[in-house]
Amino acid sequence: QVQLLESGGGSVQAGGSLRLSCAASGYTFNSFCMGWFRQAPGKEREGVAIIGSHGTTIYGDSVKGRFTISQDIAKNTLYLQMNSLKSEDTAIYYCAAGRANGGRCPDPFTYWGQGTQVTVSS
């Protein structure tokens, strides 16, 4: 079974950086899409960054140029490097995985971590 465990959340001042990690097990990297999603108070969950089974990365418009998604296949770990953080980035961040179908990622993703809180203060 697929298990996802996020870590690295915390509190940071605006302009600062955090790196989130997601330890994954029970899936094959080359057949799964992996991604980071977030849910802020009063808002729907949104996609932050996704890496497809083909290796292509996509980012939400609000984080382009600031966040970077990457994966360490040997360590079965997904990362989200977050730079130039803004108060608007405050949210619970979730790691997610789903099997790719015909080159497309599922919507919604199938497997989810427990979430890690990121709080950015101005």
Side-chain angles (χ1 to χ4, degrees):
Q1 60 273 56
V2 175
Q3 295 186 76
L4 305 170
L5 297 173
E6 303 99 330
S7 62
S11 298
V12 65
Q13 292 288 321
S17 298
L18 285 172
R19 187 176 75 160
L20 306 183
S21 298
C22 172
S25 63
Y27 71 96
T28 302
F29 265 71
N30 64 6
S31 65
F32 273 74
C33 300
M34 301 291 298
W36 291 96
F37 296 76
R38 68 186 183 188
Q39 187 166 25
K43 297 184 178 180
E44 297 294 321
R45 186 157 60 190
E46 64 175 340
V48 175
I50 294 169
I51 181 165
S53 61
H54 52 297
T56 300
T57 56
I58 58 173
Y59 295 89
D61 289 340
S62 64
V63 307
K64 287 180 179 177
R66 299 188 298 119
F67 291 11
T68 303
I69 187 171
S70 62
Q71 60 187 29
D72 186 328
I73 296 176
K75 294 182 178 180
N76 266 284
T77 302
L78 183 75
Y79 301 98
L80 183 69
Q81 179 66 46
M82 305 186 294
N83 298 327
S84 302
L85 283 161
K86 306 174 180 179
S87 60
E88 308 96 276
D89 296 317
T90 295
I92 300 174
Y93 284 71
Y94 298 89
C95 177
R99 186 177 298 279
N101 295 298
R104 291 174 175 259
C105 296
D107 184 13
F109 279 43
T110 306
Y111 305 100
W112 297 84
Q114 82 288 349
T116 185
Q117 177 71 48
V118 171
T119 302
V120 184
S121 59
S122 301

